[in-house]
Amino acid sequence: MTGLQKAAAIFKILSVESRVQILHMLKQRSFCVNALARRLGISQAAVSQHLRVLRDAGVVAADRQGYFVHYRVSPAVLAQWQEVTESLLRLEESGEEYEERIRQRCPRTGT
């Protein structure tokens, strides 16, 4: 996957406001589906669907704690996403430089 494809995949995942809110909350601490649903004012099913997309992208991980599953951000993947998006938005960089930077820094990510 090229750097531009990675950036497009990241922005597609973040194109839903609820997912951005979930990521923001999970950066602070881990939450279960019920707590996320209550705080966001959306259904548990909707939260679960958003978490599936985020888990599939590798940016969110799940930890079972008793009867509940708590979700947390994967710092390594979030750092890669930051590099991809910052590199894309860097004004002085050409397309080739961008592709090379992403290839070097994020050789094998899920996005």
Side-chain angles (χ1 to χ4, degrees), residues 49-69:
Q49 289 175 356
H50 292 308
L51 286 169
R52 182 186 49 80
V53 171
L54 295 169
R55 267 194 338 264
D56 289 349
V59 74
V60 168
D63 298 314
R64 181 166 291 282
Q65 296 179 11
Y67 292 109
F68 298 98
V69 177

Side-chain angles (χ1 to χ4, degrees), residues 19-55:
R19 289 187 202 136
V20 174
Q21 290 175 324
I22 289 169
L23 267 181
H24 179 71
M25 291 172 65
L26 293 179
K27 282 177 25 180
Q28 310 305 314
R29 67 180 191 92
S30 66
F31 285 94
C32 66
V33 171
N34 294 339
L36 288 167
R38 273 194 313 275
R39 289 172 187 249
L40 294 171
I42 60 177
S43 70
Q44 293 175 13
V47 170
S48 292
Q49 289 175 356
H50 292 308
L51 286 169
R52 182 186 49 80
V53 171
L54 295 169
R55 267 194 338 264

Side-chain angles (χ1 to χ4, degrees), residues 12 19 44-45 80 99 102:
K12 182 176 180 180
R19 289 187 202 136
Q44 293 175 13
Q80 289 177 349
E99 289 293 335
I102 297 305

